[in-house]
Amino acid sequence: MTQMEEQKVIFRDPSVLKQVVGINHEHLKIISNTVGIHLSQRGNEVKIQGEKLEVDLTVRLLEQLEALVEKGYPLYPADIDYAIRLLSENHKVSLEEVFLDTVYISGNRKVISPKSVRQKEYIDAIRTNDIVIAIGPAGTGKTYLAMAMAVSELMKHQVERIILARPAVEAGEKLGFLPGDLVEKVNPYLRPLYDALHDMMHFEKAARLVDRGIIEIAPLAFMRGRTLNNAFVILDEAQNTVPEQMKMFLTRLGFGSKAVITGDITQIDLENGKKSGLVQVQDILKGIPGIAFVYFTEKDVVRHHLVQQIIKAYERMEAKMARSVKDYKNMEKV
């Protein structure tokens, strides 16, 4: 029979305790349900009851959350999920090193910061390299954090403009359309970039910057023939570029510029037979100084907690289908 254990965490500051436990004990409820322990608060103490491993994890969690709040970090319910995941995967990880690395403070005073060790590696890579290529599933923060870094550098006058591009595969991205017609065709495919931008600054300010050309959101085809100096350039959904488009994009980079390329090589929408430029570029640019590759997995998903489970379920299904095809081919050979 498993031995149950009880420990207490005593908080020094009642105002800090209030933020850690959350409104109506919301944060404690998340911890209790996720970790599988019983929590109760009395005065400045939080009592933890459960199995030893879970109790030890919760003690570390509460102590590190207390330290975060003491240093001015505003805790949100989602942060509790991320913190539990971090400490569960690596008991030596420091939440302060990850969460207090503020990338940008948005127009609504929301702090944008990494929520996983891999995200921390990602923003460090962007800071220290001129080209960063981020590959991994949706929901891992690849585009969002790149956007935050871009807006941050623009506000600090480290770059003069931001350019956000996407290949509009479904709209048939080819030159030769009239500009107005093409914009109307591809605008729905650029919408996620607008959504991320508007999450980081007030709509009116973003609109002014777009109108002045300081922020440009455009189909990848619009990058052809240009040299992009003093710019922070993001290529999103890069798995849907063909090799020629990827080469074109990479060779647009001018003096004083950075480029971040993001994509998910398991979600390629190119027509059959066309090779993805994002897949190919891994071999071509590997080992070049100043170019960094960052690989995310489902463990880095920072959307709703069910998204991580959904990704795993699809991976199991795809692996099962691949085995079935292999078994069928082996039967044909017999």
Side-chain angles (χ1 to χ4, degrees):
M1 185 175 179
T2 306
Q3 186 176 0
M4 303 300 285
E5 187 167 312
E6 177 178 308
Q7 290 193 47
K8 293 179 181 178
V9 175
I10 301 174
F11 287 77
R12 297 176 289 273
D13 185 336
S15 64
V16 171
L17 171 63
K18 185 177 180 180
Q19 292 183 64
V20 171
V21 302
I23 299 172
N24 297 323
H25 290 153
E26 181 179 12
H27 296 166
L28 292 188
K29 292 173 184 174
I30 293 171
I31 297 169
S32 179
N33 292 333
T34 305
V35 180
I37 41 84
H38 177 73
L39 293 170
S40 60
Q41 178 203 347
R42 186 169 185 177
N44 65 337
E45 294 181 352
V46 174
K47 185 165 70 174
I48 310 158
Q49 296 172 302
E51 297 182 15
K52 179 173 173 49
L53 287 176
E54 285 73 17
V55 169
D56 289 344
L57 168 64
T58 306
V59 169
R60 290 196 306 274
L61 173 66
L62 291 174
E63 289 176 346
Q64 291 206 40
L65 291 176
E66 179 184 25
L68 276 176
V69 173
E70 286 177 341
K71 293 189 176 180
Y73 186 87
L75 274 182
Y76 295 93
D79 293 322
I80 308 301
D81 277 325
Y82 305 147
I84 294 170
R85 188 186 307 175
L86 279 169
L87 289 174
S88 298
E89 292 172 358
N90 181 358
H91 70 278
K92 293 182 180 179
V93 75
S94 167
L95 296 184
E96 289 184 38
E97 289 182 8
V98 177
F99 283 52
L100 293 182
D101 187 354
T102 302
V103 177
Y104 182 67
I105 300 177
S106 68
N108 56 12
R109 308 306 297 171
K110 178 183 176 183
V111 176
I112 299 172
S113 61
K115 297 295 187 284
S116 72
V117 173
R118 193 61 49 84
Q119 285 193 351
K120 167 69 174 165
E121 292 174 2
Y122 180 42
I123 62 171
D124 285 342
I126 294 173
R127 288 174 178 140
T128 56
N129 295 274
D130 287 338
I131 297 177
V132 175
I133 300 170
I135 298 173
T140 49
K142 303 183 301 297
T143 304
Y144 194 81
L145 283 176
M147 183 82 79
M149 290 291 289
V151 173
S152 176
E153 294 208 2
L154 181 68
M155 296 298 105
K156 294 174 184 175
H157 304 289
Q158 293 173 341
V159 295
E160 295 177 359
R161 55 185 173 152
I162 297 172
I163 298 173
L164 311 167
R166 283 186 118 193
V169 172
E170 299 88 341
E173 184 182 69
K174 298 179 187 293
L175 296 177
F177 293 95
L178 292 173
D181 293 338
L182 181 55
V183 169
E184 289 175 3
K185 252 185 190 304
V186 302
N187 193 55
Y189 306 102
L190 303 176
R191 191 74 254 166
L193 296 175
Y194 283 103
D195 290 342
L197 177 63
H198 294 152
D199 199 34
M200 291 173 198
M201 60 175 64
H202 293 302
F203 183 88
E204 294 79 8
K205 183 175 183 178
R208 286 197 303 271
L209 293 174
V210 171
D211 288 342
R212 292 164 58 192
I214 293 173
I215 297 178
E216 179 181 349
I217 304 177
L220 177 59
F222 280 17
M223 301 298 107
R224 193 175 298 278
R226 302 173 63 182
T227 300
L228 307 174
N229 294 316
N230 302 311
F232 196 117
V233 192
I234 300 172
L235 173 58
D236 191 33
E237 297 288 332
Q239 75 275 7
N240 290 327
T241 61
V242 294
E244 294 80 8
Q245 288 176 312
M246 180 63 75
K247 180 182 177 182
M248 179 273 290
F249 175 81
L250 288 166
T251 54
R252 299 308 93 202
L253 202 63
F255 294 107
S257 292
K258 279 182 179 285
V260 178
I261 298 165
T262 70
D264 178 0
I265 56 177
T266 69
Q267 298 291 330
I268 297 172
D269 298 319
L270 295 169
E271 295 176 2
N272 290 337
K274 288 189 177 181
K275 189 168 185 178
S276 167
L278 184 60
V279 172
Q280 185 191 65
V281 82
Q282 296 175 79
D283 293 326
I284 295 174
L285 301 184
K286 188 176 181 180
I288 297 178
I291 300 177
F293 286 86
V294 180
Y295 292 91
F296 292 88
T297 70
E298 79 282 345
K299 291 181 179 179
D300 302 299
V301 171
V302 291
R303 290 180 179 171
H304 192 286
H305 67 91
L306 285 177
V307 173
Q308 189 175 10
Q309 300 302 318
I310 291 168
I311 292 171
K312 285 182 178 178
Y314 271 95
E315 286 179 347
R316 288 194 297 269
M317 182 271 291
E318 288 162 3
K320 184 177 179 180
M321 289 177 66
R323 287 195 300 271
S324 297
V325 170
K326 185 178 179 180
D327 291 343
Y328 179 76
K329 288 181 177 179
N330 288 337
M331 287 175 64
E332 284 187 323
K333 293 178 181 178
V334 176

